[in-house]
Each structure stands twice: as C-alpha cells, then as structure tokens.
Amino acid sequence: MCWSCGCGRPSDDHGDPRALTTEDLRAAADHADTDIPGVVANMVRTLALHRGRQAGAAKEDWAAVQVLKSVPEKRYTLGLAYPANRADVGKAADGFQDFVGPEALEEAAWSFLRKGGRIGIQHQDGTEGHGQVVESYLWPAGPWPQPNGYTVQKGDWLLSTVWDEPTWARIKAGELNGFSPQGGARRRQPSAEALANLRSS
C-alpha cells in the first residue's frame, strides 16, 4: 500500500503529496533515530493511547478478548493469543502454572497457522468457524501500553480475528473475553535463566 490507501505500491504517492509513502516513513525514522517498523509501531501505540484518553469513544471502540484494537462494523478484534515469558495467572486444571519462552511461542504460533488457524468457542468440540484469523504475528517492537492496563511486550503472540454476528455479540457483552490455546505441549523444568526472564505484567 502507499501506506495510506492500500494500493500495494508503498512508494507511489499517486501525484498527491498527502499520500504517505515509504520515503515519508524513512524520513520520519531518521528523525526519530529508529527504523520504519519502529515508526509504524509508534504510530499504532500513539493511536491506542489517544483512543484510551477518550473514555466515551473507548466504550464503543474496544470489545473484550483482551482487545488491543477493534473495528465494530467489521466485527474485528486484535487480541493477545499468548504472552511470552509471563506465568499464567493461576494454576491450570492439572495443578501446574506454566509459561513459555519466545522461541517455543514462535513455534506454537507457526504450528497454529500450519494446521489451519482454527478458532473454537470455550474449548468445545464442533464450535470452529465462528471466527476467522486474518493476522497472526509476534509483536516485534518495544512495550505497547493498552487502555485496559495491559502492556504488550516484544514476543507476545497476537491474533487478528473477524467474527460472525452471534459471536461478536457475545464478545461485546463480555461473555467471551480471552484467547486460550488448545493442544498438546511438553512441560519441562524451567532453568534459572528462564525464571529470571519472567515478567510480572
């Protein structure tokens, strides 16, 4: 995209100086002593902070599912699939409290897409198809504070999803409010270094 209209040509301003091009982003990156991904991350972070200050607008723009961004008319959420280096809030049904490092989380995210990126509802069989994953990525930049108090950290796994109407209604009502990966994993005793790298938020 020309970074503005979605044309797919990042350096074409279409003869209009108002169009944002790669050269504009490169100049902005040089000014801020960063790179283009850093500028884009800062723009997203600034947008999130701006929205967070508008309490009335935030109630309309943000739904559940540990939502970082939403577009209501598109039934879209950007949510935290799983954090890197952060222990679970509580113990799981098997009595363990787990966490995952960046490398293992990356492999899990890749495996999820390789297997079709299917999303079900509350771990119930036969509930796939209510949400379609449109983006899956590991957050590449520094801390990204959210209006709900959570801060996305580098390496966190994020999912962008478009939901069907019934599920979107449940998300907006707060009935569905988080992602919970399902599948098998091999648990191992964490090293002292892994434990030292754990974060509290």
Side-chain angles (χ1 to χ4, degrees):
M1 53 187 177
C2 70
W3 300 96
S4 300
C5 73
C7 65
R9 300 190 298 275
S11 296
D12 185 357
D13 67 2
H14 311 291
D16 189 333
R18 295 175 298 175
L20 188 62
T21 67
T22 299
E23 292 306 314
D24 297 320
L25 290 180
R26 188 171 291 119
D30 290 343
H31 169 72
D33 194 26
T34 185
D35 54 13
I36 288 177
V39 169
V40 173
N42 288 336
M43 292 169 68
V44 171
R45 184 164 42 242
T46 300
L47 177 61
L49 290 173
H50 177 71
R51 282 184 174 171
R53 294 189 187 105
Q54 299 177 6
K59 291 179 182 177
E60 296 296 327
D61 292 345
W62 300 74
V65 190
Q66 189 72 318
V67 170
L68 312 180
K69 179 178 70 174
S70 72
V71 182
E73 67 274 12
K74 294 186 179 179
R75 304 191 305 276
Y76 166 88
T77 62
L78 170 60
L80 178 71
Y82 207 86
N85 286 334
R86 191 186 72 173
D88 291 339
V89 176
K91 292 183 178 180
D94 59 7
F96 287 90
Q97 190 171 10
D98 295 313
F99 69 93
V100 63
E103 296 83 7
L105 188 57
E106 178 182 69
E107 178 55 36
W110 290 356
S111 176
F112 171 72
L113 285 187
R114 282 196 296 263
K115 294 178 180 178
R118 294 175 297 155
I119 292 184
I121 305 296
Q122 297 176 321
H123 295 275
Q124 297 175 7
D125 291 338
T127 59
E128 293 86 357
H130 293 282
Q132 180 181 8
V133 174
V134 293
E135 293 176 306
S136 173
Y137 56 94
L138 303 174
W139 183 245
W144 179 21
Q146 301 304 309
N148 62 4
Y150 181 79
T151 298
V152 176
Q153 300 286 357
K154 184 175 181 180
D156 283 355
W157 178 16
L158 305 179
L159 284 178
S160 294
T161 310
V162 175
W163 305 92
D164 63 11
E165 290 281 5
T167 307
W168 179 248
R170 296 177 69 184
I171 289 171
K172 290 183 72 175
E175 182 181 343
L176 302 176
N177 58 10
F179 285 115
S180 176
Q182 180 176 335
R186 184 177 60 201
R187 181 180 286 118
R188 65 181 183 183
Q189 190 70 26
S191 66
E193 180 182 5
L195 290 172
N197 288 331
L198 276 178
R199 66 185 217 249
S200 59
S201 61

PDB file of all heavy atoms in Angstrom, residues 71-90:
ATOM      1  N   VAL A  71     -12.721  -2.922  15.373  1.00  0.00           N
ATOM      2  CA  VAL A  71     -13.473  -2.147  14.403  1.00  0.00           C
ATOM      3  C   VAL A  71     -14.879  -2.737  14.397  1.00  0.00           C
ATOM      4  O   VAL A  71     -15.125  -3.759  13.751  1.00  0.00           O
ATOM      5  CB  VAL A  71     -12.836  -2.225  12.994  1.00  0.00           C
ATOM      6  CG1 VAL A  71     -13.615  -1.361  12.016  1.00  0.00           C
ATOM      7  CG2 VAL A  71     -11.376  -1.789  13.045  1.00  0.00           C
ATOM      8  N   PRO A  72     -15.808  -2.147  15.167  1.00  0.00           N
ATOM      9  CA  PRO A  72     -17.109  -2.784  15.390  1.00  0.00           C
ATOM     10  C   PRO A  72     -17.842  -3.174  14.118  1.00  0.00           C
ATOM     11  O   PRO A  72     -18.381  -4.263  14.025  1.00  0.00           O
ATOM     12  CB  PRO A  72     -17.877  -1.715  16.185  1.00  0.00           C
ATOM     13  CG  PRO A  72     -16.815  -0.944  16.888  1.00  0.00           C
ATOM     14  CD  PRO A  72     -15.655  -0.908  15.935  1.00  0.00           C
ATOM     15  N   GLU A  73     -17.896  -2.279  13.131  1.00  0.00           N
ATOM     16  CA  GLU A  73     -18.688  -2.594  11.947  1.00  0.00           C
ATOM     17  C   GLU A  73     -18.086  -3.748  11.143  1.00  0.00           C
ATOM     18  O   GLU A  73     -18.749  -4.345  10.314  1.00  0.00           O
ATOM     19  CB  GLU A  73     -18.837  -1.351  11.058  1.00  0.00           C
ATOM     20  CG  GLU A  73     -17.551  -0.868  10.411  1.00  0.00           C
ATOM     21  CD  GLU A  73     -16.744   0.064  11.293  1.00  0.00           C
ATOM     22  OE1 GLU A  73     -17.061   0.169  12.497  1.00  0.00           O
ATOM     23  OE2 GLU A  73     -15.783   0.687  10.788  1.00  0.00           O
ATOM     24  N   LYS A  74     -16.831  -4.083  11.410  1.00  0.00           N
ATOM     25  CA  LYS A  74     -16.195  -5.209  10.728  1.00  0.00           C
ATOM     26  C   LYS A  74     -16.113  -6.445  11.618  1.00  0.00           C
ATOM     27  O   LYS A  74     -15.570  -7.461  11.215  1.00  0.00           O
ATOM     28  CB  LYS A  74     -14.796  -4.815  10.257  1.00  0.00           C
ATOM     29  CG  LYS A  74     -14.800  -3.742   9.175  1.00  0.00           C
ATOM     30  CD  LYS A  74     -13.407  -3.483   8.649  1.00  0.00           C
ATOM     31  CE  LYS A  74     -13.424  -2.432   7.546  1.00  0.00           C
ATOM     32  NZ  LYS A  74     -12.065  -2.154   7.023  1.00  0.00           N
ATOM     33  N   ARG A  75     -16.617  -6.362  12.843  1.00  0.00           N
ATOM     34  CA  ARG A  75     -16.575  -7.455  13.820  1.00  0.00           C
ATOM     35  C   ARG A  75     -15.144  -7.962  13.991  1.00  0.00           C
ATOM     36  O   ARG A  75     -14.884  -9.151  14.033  1.00  0.00           O
ATOM     37  CB  ARG A  75     -17.521  -8.586  13.400  1.00  0.00           C
ATOM     38  CG  ARG A  75     -18.959  -8.144  13.200  1.00  0.00           C
ATOM     39  CD  ARG A  75     -19.902  -9.326  13.039  1.00  0.00           C
ATOM     40  NE  ARG A  75     -19.527 -10.235  11.978  1.00  0.00           N
ATOM     41  CZ  ARG A  75     -19.841 -10.074  10.698  1.00  0.00           C
ATOM     42  NH1 ARG A  75     -20.558  -9.024  10.329  1.00  0.00           N
ATOM     43  NH2 ARG A  75     -19.456 -10.941   9.798  1.00  0.00           N
ATOM     44  N   TYR A  76     -14.241  -7.018  14.120  1.00  0.00           N
ATOM     45  CA  TYR A  76     -12.796  -7.299  14.143  1.00  0.00           C
ATOM     46  C   TYR A  76     -12.212  -7.079  15.523  1.00  0.00           C
ATOM     47  O   TYR A  76     -12.543  -6.101  16.194  1.00  0.00           O
ATOM     48  CB  TYR A  76     -12.109  -6.363  13.147  1.00  0.00           C
ATOM     49  CG  TYR A  76     -10.603  -6.276  13.270  1.00  0.00           C
ATOM     50  CD1 TYR A  76      -9.788  -7.161  12.582  1.00  0.00           C
ATOM     51  CD2 TYR A  76     -10.009  -5.292  14.053  1.00  0.00           C
ATOM     52  CE1 TYR A  76      -8.410  -7.080  12.683  1.00  0.00           C
ATOM     53  CE2 TYR A  76      -8.626  -5.206  14.160  1.00  0.00           C
ATOM     54  CZ  TYR A  76      -7.837  -6.096  13.473  1.00  0.00           C
ATOM     55  OH  TYR A  76      -6.463  -6.019  13.579  1.00  0.00           O
ATOM     56  N   THR A  77     -11.360  -8.003  15.966  1.00  0.00           N
ATOM     57  CA  THR A  77     -10.588  -7.786  17.185  1.00  0.00           C
ATOM     58  C   THR A  77      -9.129  -8.108  16.935  1.00  0.00           C
ATOM     59  O   THR A  77      -8.792  -8.994  16.141  1.00  0.00           O
ATOM     60  CB  THR A  77     -11.077  -8.671  18.356  1.00  0.00           C
ATOM     61  OG1 THR A  77     -10.917 -10.050  18.008  1.00  0.00           O
ATOM     62  CG2 THR A  77     -12.514  -8.377  18.719  1.00  0.00           C
ATOM     63  N   LEU A  78      -8.269  -7.377  17.612  1.00  0.00           N
ATOM     64  CA  LEU A  78      -6.853  -7.716  17.712  1.00  0.00           C
ATOM     65  C   LEU A  78      -6.639  -8.112  19.154  1.00  0.00           C
ATOM     66  O   LEU A  78      -6.862  -7.305  20.064  1.00  0.00           O
ATOM     67  CB  LEU A  78      -5.977  -6.514  17.346  1.00  0.00           C
ATOM     68  CG  LEU A  78      -4.475  -6.656  17.640  1.00  0.00           C
ATOM     69  CD1 LEU A  78      -3.885  -7.831  16.879  1.00  0.00           C
ATOM     70  CD2 LEU A  78      -3.752  -5.361  17.297  1.00  0.00           C
ATOM     71  N   GLY A  79      -6.271  -9.360  19.401  1.00  0.00           N
ATOM     72  CA  GLY A  79      -6.197  -9.848  20.767  1.00  0.00           C
ATOM     73  C   GLY A  79      -4.910 -10.577  21.071  1.00  0.00           C
ATOM     74  O   GLY A  79      -4.175 -11.002  20.172  1.00  0.00           O
ATOM     75  N   LEU A  80      -4.637 -10.709  22.355  1.00  0.00           N
ATOM     76  CA  LEU A  80      -3.460 -11.422  22.833  1.00  0.00           C
ATOM     77  C   LEU A  80      -3.746 -12.920  22.814  1.00  0.00           C
ATOM     78  O   LEU A  80      -4.617 -13.402  23.545  1.00  0.00           O
ATOM     79  CB  LEU A  80      -3.128 -10.970  24.253  1.00  0.00           C
ATOM     80  CG  LEU A  80      -1.948 -11.665  24.926  1.00  0.00           C
ATOM     81  CD1 LEU A  80      -0.635 -11.233  24.281  1.00  0.00           C
ATOM     82  CD2 LEU A  80      -1.937 -11.347  26.416  1.00  0.00           C
ATOM     83  N   ALA A  81      -3.033 -13.654  21.969  1.00  0.00           N
ATOM     84  CA  ALA A  81      -3.196 -15.108  21.939  1.00  0.00           C
ATOM     85  C   ALA A  81      -2.447 -15.743  23.109  1.00  0.00           C
ATOM     86  O   ALA A  81      -2.976 -16.625  23.789  1.00  0.00           O
ATOM     87  CB  ALA A  81      -2.679 -15.671  20.620  1.00  0.00           C
ATOM     88  N   TYR A  82      -1.208 -15.269  23.361  1.00  0.00           N
ATOM     89  CA  TYR A  82      -0.425 -15.787  24.486  1.00  0.00           C
ATOM     90  C   TYR A  82       0.781 -14.885  24.689  1.00  0.00           C
ATOM     91  O   TYR A  82       1.415 -14.469  23.715  1.00  0.00           O
ATOM     92  CB  TYR A  82       0.022 -17.226  24.236  1.00  0.00           C
ATOM     93  CG  TYR A  82       0.236 -18.019  25.498  1.00  0.00           C
ATOM     94  CD1 TYR A  82      -0.821 -18.678  26.122  1.00  0.00           C
ATOM     95  CD2 TYR A  82       1.494 -18.099  26.078  1.00  0.00           C
ATOM     96  CE1 TYR A  82      -0.639 -19.402  27.287  1.00  0.00           C
ATOM     97  CE2 TYR A  82       1.701 -18.821  27.247  1.00  0.00           C
ATOM     98  CZ  TYR A  82       0.633 -19.468  27.853  1.00  0.00           C
ATOM     99  OH  TYR A  82       0.816 -20.172  29.013  1.00  0.00           O
ATOM    100  N   PRO A  83       1.116 -14.584  25.940  1.00  0.00           N
ATOM    101  CA  PRO A  83       2.275 -13.728  26.204  1.00  0.00           C
ATOM    102  C   PRO A  83       3.568 -14.534  26.275  1.00  0.00           C
ATOM    103  O   PRO A  83       3.553 -15.727  26.611  1.00  0.00           O
ATOM    104  CB  PRO A  83       1.947 -13.114  27.567  1.00  0.00           C
ATOM    105  CG  PRO A  83       1.163 -14.185  28.256  1.00  0.00           C
ATOM    106  CD  PRO A  83       0.355 -14.873  27.164  1.00  0.00           C
ATOM    107  N   ALA A  84       4.669 -13.882  25.980  1.00  0.00           N
ATOM    108  CA  ALA A  84       5.984 -14.502  26.131  1.00  0.00           C
ATOM    109  C   ALA A  84       6.533 -14.201  27.520  1.00  0.00           C
ATOM    110  O   ALA A  84       6.393 -13.085  28.024  1.00  0.00           O
ATOM    111  CB  ALA A  84       6.945 -13.961  25.067  1.00  0.00           C
ATOM    112  N   ASN A  85       7.129 -15.209  28.137  1.00  0.00           N
ATOM    113  CA  ASN A  85       7.824 -15.033  29.424  1.00  0.00           C
ATOM    114  C   ASN A  85       6.936 -14.436  30.516  1.00  0.00           C
ATOM    115  O   ASN A  85       7.384 -13.615  31.312  1.00  0.00           O
ATOM    116  CB  ASN A  85       9.068 -14.154  29.249  1.00  0.00           C
ATOM    117  CG  ASN A  85      10.195 -14.893  28.568  1.00  0.00           C
ATOM    118  OD1 ASN A  85      10.279 -16.112  28.643  1.00  0.00           O
ATOM    119  ND2 ASN A  85      11.057 -14.160  27.885  1.00  0.00           N
ATOM    120  N   ARG A  86       5.667 -14.847  30.547  1.00  0.00           N
ATOM    121  CA  ARG A  86       4.795 -14.403  31.634  1.00  0.00           C
ATOM    122  C   ARG A  86       4.022 -15.602  32.152  1.00  0.00           C
ATOM    123  O   ARG A  86       3.372 -16.307  31.391  1.00  0.00           O
ATOM    124  CB  ARG A  86       3.818 -13.329  31.164  1.00  0.00           C
ATOM    125  CG  ARG A  86       3.093 -12.660  32.343  1.00  0.00           C
ATOM    126  CD  ARG A  86       2.020 -11.715  31.874  1.00  0.00           C
ATOM    127  NE  ARG A  86       0.884 -12.465  31.337  1.00  0.00           N
ATOM    128  CZ  ARG A  86      -0.267 -11.901  30.967  1.00  0.00           C
ATOM    129  NH1 ARG A  86      -0.410 -10.600  31.032  1.00  0.00           N
ATOM    130  NH2 ARG A  86      -1.250 -12.641  30.489  1.00  0.00           N
ATOM    131  N   ALA A  87       4.098 -15.836  33.440  1.00  0.00           N
ATOM    132  CA  ALA A  87       3.436 -17.001  34.028  1.00  0.00           C
ATOM    133  C   ALA A  87       1.929 -16.848  33.968  1.00  0.00           C
ATOM    134  O   ALA A  87       1.394 -15.736  34.034  1.00  0.00           O
ATOM    135  CB  ALA A  87       3.891 -17.177  35.473  1.00  0.00           C
ATOM    136  N   ASP A  88       1.237 -17.980  33.836  1.00  0.00           N
ATOM    137  CA  ASP A  88      -0.221 -17.969  33.886  1.00  0.00           C
ATOM    138  C   ASP A  88      -0.689 -17.319  35.187  1.00  0.00           C
ATOM    139  O   ASP A  88      -0.017 -17.396  36.219  1.00  0.00           O
ATOM    140  CB  ASP A  88      -0.775 -19.398  33.825  1.00  0.00           C
ATOM    141  CG  ASP A  88      -0.572 -20.048  32.460  1.00  0.00           C
ATOM    142  OD1 ASP A  88      -0.387 -19.303  31.478  1.00  0.00           O
ATOM    143  OD2 ASP A  88      -0.586 -21.287  32.395  1.00  0.00           O
ATOM    144  N   VAL A  89      -1.860 -16.703  35.128  1.00  0.00           N
ATOM    145  CA  VAL A  89      -2.400 -16.033  36.316  1.00  0.00           C
ATOM    146  C   VAL A  89      -2.632 -17.026  37.452  1.00  0.00           C
ATOM    147  O   VAL A  89      -2.366 -16.740  38.618  1.00  0.00           O
ATOM    148  CB  VAL A  89      -3.706 -15.300  35.963  1.00  0.00           C
ATOM    149  CG1 VAL A  89      -4.329 -14.693  37.207  1.00  0.00           C
ATOM    150  CG2 VAL A  89      -3.437 -14.222  34.924  1.00  0.00           C
ATOM    151  N   GLY A  90      -3.121 -18.198  37.121  1.00  0.00           N
ATOM    152  CA  GLY A  90      -3.378 -19.220  38.135  1.00  0.00           C
ATOM    153  C   GLY A  90      -2.947 -20.582  37.632  1.00  0.00           C
ATOM    154  O   GLY A  90      -2.441 -20.727  36.513  1.00  0.00           O
TER     155      GLY A  90
END
